[in-house]
Amino acid sequence: MQTQALHLLRTVFGYDSFRGQQAAIIDTVCAGGDALVLMPTGAGKSLCFQIPALARSGVGVVVSPLIALMQDQVLTLQEAGVRAAMLNSALSAEKAAATERQLLAGELDLIYVAPERLLTGRFLDLLDRLNDVRNGGPGIALFAIDEAHCVSQWGHDFRPEYLQLSMLHERWPQVPRIALTATADGRTQQEIIHRLGLENAQVFLSSFDRPNIRYRVTPKQNGREQLLRYLREQHPGDAGIVYCLSRNKVEDTAAWLGEQGIPALPYHAGLSSQQREQNQNRFLNEDGIVMVATIAFGMGIDKPDVRFVAHLDLPKSLEAYYQETGRAGRDGLPASAWMAYGLQDAVTLRQMLSQGDASETQKRVELAKLNAMLGYAEVTTCRRQVLLNYFGESGHPPCGNCDNCLEPPETFDGTIVAQKALSCVFRTGQRFGVGYLIDVLLGKDDDRIQQFGHHALSVFGIGKELDDKDWKSAYRQLVAAGYLRVDHDSHGALKLTEESRPLLKGEIKIQLRKELRGRKKKTSRETAFSNDADETLWNALRDKRRELAKEHSVPPYVIFHDATLKAMLEQRPSSMGELAQISGVGARKLEAYGSEFLEVLLEHG
Ligand code: ADP
Ligand code: ZN
């Protein structure tokens, strides 16, 4: 089996070797066993059922919850010469009937189907006929249940139809099943096993690390100016997603980026579905579009060459953050997750939380999640370790690919600074926000301070050793660490907590992060070209890809991934034989596009 699988990997998909646990998973399924696959986004789940579907006799039946996901995979497979099709509500009756005929005639290797359609009496009968090998049916190679976490009633992607998929095993017990998801937590995993009757399945749990994503968090000053600088320095011409909390901010940011010459489009639930679809299609089909979006955008976006995900506002939890940033770099090439964050983010999110209509228990859970998010934003050690620990993977060494690893922040004994900050909160009656507190510490001559008589307090003007920016940073870190809390019933005033007392009394010490200043940050791009010739060839290859994509009405990445173009750039193949050696160039694509790319390569040789 193993040699056949490898042969398929090389000839059909054009890749050299299996990654991670792919080979073991494929072996299990090819041998007729059930598998539960938990792998992070971009690790290569699809091949785990696509190759067994090709290797085993009969058609592979893939259950997929979203039309966009299906379309993407079917197009990609068809481009690779695989006989794949889909059945969903977006198809006309005639097209659906034709696909069903092809299925019964054994003319398909893979059929993608939406769960609600699979569960209809008509489709179940069709499966019976497919499986009736004695009467000429082609057979069913396997059932693949993609996005298997949709069975979880606690998750946000719950799909009630998924609960009924356990019947597949009851009705066709000899057909192997493979369930796949990128959702890592143990509870969801148990629920999938239980709901789908996968007690005997072999579980393949991969690390959820995304080593090609570089994490960066920066204190927010003027968020969008910082974003613009980051895009210009690190990601010129790249496609990416910018997440904002509100619809207004999405609109403003997209328009503003547009004025600065960055091709940006907005996406949020307030736009018409037509407008959303149009923007999404442009993001998928054109190179280098920046999508500015609320969290409404992302589910089912399988674009492999999203080079960055930026957050202009703090997400509500590390779960959300990891899911959103995980949309970057699915193709395995360097990508980055960048976030600008300030104290106001914490204030706003806590306010939304306390004013929401969730139960008290729910609010406590969400508050704990928000606090973990804040902790991540303020941490001075490896960020990837914090993320992986949070998801239950301990023991990873510092990653060397996050801001804290690359430019370790300096810390200082901040005990005195913290005491001054806390005393100022206490002496002014725990009724004021950060701006006012800092004015008092800096001894500002201000009407409001005079009016409250706070110029006479012992804390007035005792903080002149630091400036406004440093004090902001100190307050932010104190809130994140739980020494202060934001009170929403009194307009974001800071209040002391249980934890504040030992710090105020000098019983404990605190280390604070020094803000970077004047220190030169490395600005070299991860994807920089070694010379101009490379850049010219790169652009020529991308132009050719765009031209062919237009011609075939598919997104550019369906023709070739960036990783494949990059391999061409590095290896400079000069014959069809050499081109066939490039990772991502399968037999069918070589035949369809090989000569056109070779022409470009020779021209720039
Ligand atoms: P997932 O579904 O896990 O998010 P995909 O199945 O979409 O990931 O795979 C991500 C990318 O990695 C795809 O472009 C795929 O072609 C590529 N890929 C998968 N397996 C391999 C491999 N063994 N070698 C090279 N590239 C691979
Ligand atoms: Zn790190």
Side-chain angles (χ1 to χ4, degrees):
M1 221 24 127
Q2 192 50 250
T3 49
Q4 191 192 359
L6 201 56
H7 180 73
L8 287 166
L9 179 76
R10 290 185 175 152
T11 54
V12 178
F13 299 94
Y15 297 133
D16 279 344
S17 52
F18 286 113
R19 277 186 191 160
Q21 304 192 72
Q22 280 177 332
I25 297 164
I26 290 169
D27 266 354
T28 300
V29 180
C30 280
D34 291 343
L36 171 58
V37 174
L38 303 112
M39 256 189 207
T41 307
K45 283 186 284 299
S46 331
L47 287 185
C48 297
F49 58 83
Q50 290 168 348
I51 288 185
L54 294 172
R56 288 174 60 86
S57 71
V59 57
V61 179
V62 186
V63 187
S64 178
L66 280 175
I67 295 179
L69 285 176
M70 280 190 217
Q71 261 164 352
D72 214 65
Q73 291 208 9
V74 170
L75 263 183
T76 305
L77 285 168
Q78 287 173 344
E79 282 296 315
V82 175
R83 303 177 306 170
M86 59 185 173
L87 282 170
N88 59 42
S89 55
L91 293 186
S92 67
E94 297 86 71
K95 185 80 185 62
T99 303
E100 288 180 5
R101 271 197 303 280
Q102 280 184 303
L103 252 181
L104 286 168
E107 289 166 10
L108 292 177
D109 301 309
L110 279 143
I111 182 75
Y112 284 72
V113 57
E116 58 278 7
R117 185 161 195 126
L118 178 104
L119 294 164
T120 58
R122 181 187 167 83
F123 195 84
L124 296 173
D125 287 344
L126 187 74
L127 288 177
D128 270 332
R129 286 160 69 194
L130 279 182
N131 197 43
D132 190 359
V133 186
R134 253 182 274 158
N135 287 311
I140 302 175
L142 55 84
F143 291 116
I145 301 167
D146 207 0
E147 312 288 341
H149 61 279
C150 291
V151 293
S152 165
Q153 278 166 295
W154 309 106
H156 37 274
D157 298 332
F158 177 56
R159 295 281 297 248
E161 309 86 33
Y162 262 65
L163 291 175
Q164 293 172 56
L165 294 176
S166 57
M167 57 91 68
L168 293 176
H169 185 57
E170 286 146 25
R171 194 145 161 179
W172 298 284
Q174 76 292 3
V175 178
R177 292 170 302 157
I178 170 171
L180 311 100
T181 179
T183 301
D185 70 277
R187 177 167 163 179
T188 310
Q189 184 183 328
Q190 286 315 312
E191 224 182 331
I192 295 172
I193 291 175
H194 175 65
R195 302 263 175 217
L196 295 179
L198 285 168
E199 285 80 6
N200 294 321
Q202 196 159 337
V203 178
F204 296 91
L205 176 61
S206 306
S207 166
F208 271 69
D209 187 16
R210 301 288 310 281
N212 61 317
I213 299 181
R214 175 171 295 182
Y215 298 99
R216 279 189 186 283
V217 179
T218 185
K220 198 190 287 186
Q221 282 123 34
N222 180 337
R224 64 185 198 182
E225 293 282 353
Q226 290 170 285
L227 173 71
L228 182 65
R229 210 173 320 130
Y230 160 77
L231 294 185
R232 285 190 173 149
E233 281 171 7
Q234 298 292 329
H235 291 287
D238 285 345
I241 308 172
V242 176
Y243 282 110
C244 305
L245 197 56
S246 73
R247 296 174 185 184
N248 278 343
K249 188 158 170 184
V250 163
E251 294 281 353
D252 290 351
T253 308
W256 184 79
L257 284 174
E259 284 161 23
Q260 311 305 314
I262 304 235
L265 298 172
Y267 191 105
H268 57 74
L271 295 172
S272 69
S273 59
Q274 195 187 355
Q275 188 66 52
R276 272 186 313 213
E277 195 177 319
Q278 193 182 333
N279 289 358
Q280 174 165 331
N281 284 339
R282 284 193 57 197
F283 178 69
L284 295 177
N285 294 321
E286 294 174 26
D287 280 328
I289 300 274
V290 174
M291 189 67 109
V292 186
T294 59
I295 52 169
F297 182 72
M299 168 73 167
I301 298 301
D302 247 353
K303 187 176 165 63
D305 56 355
V306 174
R307 291 269 66 84
F308 65 87
V309 170
H311 281 95
L312 275 181
D313 295 304
L314 193 75
K316 290 192 179 89
S317 66
L318 280 175
E319 283 90 343
Y321 174 76
Y322 206 58
Q323 189 175 47
E324 284 151 20
T325 55
R327 292 179 181 134
R330 293 178 63 105
D331 54 13
L333 293 178
S336 63
W338 178 92
M339 177 167 81
Y341 129 88
L343 184 56
Q344 190 53 42
D345 288 299
V347 174
T348 310
L349 285 177
R350 286 198 178 152
Q351 200 150 18
M352 283 168 62
L353 197 84
S354 68
Q355 290 167 354
D357 42 21
S359 69
E360 281 311 308
T361 329
Q362 185 68 19
K363 281 183 182 171
R364 256 201 306 281
V365 171
E366 286 179 20
L367 188 62
K369 290 188 173 197
L370 177 56
N371 287 339
M373 185 70 229
L374 285 173
Y376 169 82
E378 289 295 348
V379 74
T380 52
T381 55
C382 177
R383 292 198 200 273
R384 194 178 310 269
Q385 283 181 324
V386 174
L387 284 170
L388 292 172
N389 271 332
Y390 186 78
F391 295 114
E393 284 183 44
S394 52
H396 283 270
C399 73
N401 195 27
C402 71
D403 51 359
N404 288 346
C405 281
L406 291 164
E407 301 116 27
E410 283 177 48
T411 58
F412 65 100
D413 182 343
T415 312
I416 306 260
V417 167
Q419 285 169 343
K420 287 182 180 176
L422 296 181
S423 313
C424 186
V425 171
F426 182 68
R427 300 273 168 215
T428 52
Q430 309 190 57
R431 290 185 292 137
F432 296 91
V434 180
Y436 184 86
L437 294 167
I438 294 177
D439 285 349
V440 172
L441 284 167
L442 294 177
K444 275 236 177 98
D445 179 19
D446 176 298
D447 285 349
R448 243 177 116 209
I449 292 178
Q450 298 281 341
Q451 185 192 323
F452 286 115
H454 289 158
H455 58 290
L457 292 176
S458 59
V459 290
F460 184 74
I462 57 162
K464 289 182 178 159
E465 73 275 25
L466 299 182
D467 67 9
D468 183 77
K469 202 171 139 198
D470 289 322
W471 280 115
K472 265 201 186 123
S473 164
Y475 272 114
R476 208 182 59 229
Q477 295 181 62
L478 288 168
V479 170
Y483 293 110
L484 283 172
R485 71 184 172 83
V486 180
D487 183 356
H488 300 294
D489 299 330
S490 45
H491 307 288
L494 292 183
K495 305 221 155 168
L496 299 182
T497 69
E498 281 300 304
E499 269 83 347
S500 328
R501 182 192 296 266
L503 187 55
L504 265 173
K505 290 169 91 183
E507 290 163 10
I508 52 170
K509 287 189 175 306
I510 181 174
Q511 288 290 119
L512 291 177
R513 167 199 285 263
K514 250 189 206 160
E515 289 312 325
L516 287 177
R517 103 170 18 155
R519 192 137 73 88
K520 208 170 172 298
K521 277 236 216 100
K522 289 183 204 122
T523 53
S524 68
R525 283 182 61 199
E526 290 91 348
T527 48
F529 296 100
S530 51
N531 58 47
D532 290 349
D534 276 1
E535 188 154 3
T536 316
L537 175 55
W538 174 252
N539 289 329
L541 290 169
R542 297 228 304 183
D543 287 347
K544 174 55 73 184
R545 176 175 70 174
R546 196 175 309 128
E547 176 193 320
L548 289 168
K550 254 218 158 91
E551 209 171 284
H552 292 246
S553 327
V554 294
Y557 57 81
V558 169
I559 305 281
F560 284 129
H561 275 187
D562 280 1
T564 304
L565 296 192
K566 233 176 152 204
M568 290 184 194
L569 186 70
E570 277 154 16
Q571 298 169 33
R572 303 285 173 108
S574 60
S575 67
M576 290 291 267
E578 284 173 24
L579 193 57
Q581 301 301 309
I582 299 283
S583 177
V585 184
R588 160 71 202 267
K589 287 195 181 176
L590 182 70
E591 191 189 314
Y593 314 122
S595 57
E596 300 211 41
F597 279 91
L598 194 58
E599 210 171 286
V600 174
L601 284 157
L602 294 174
E603 203 175 300
H604 292 83

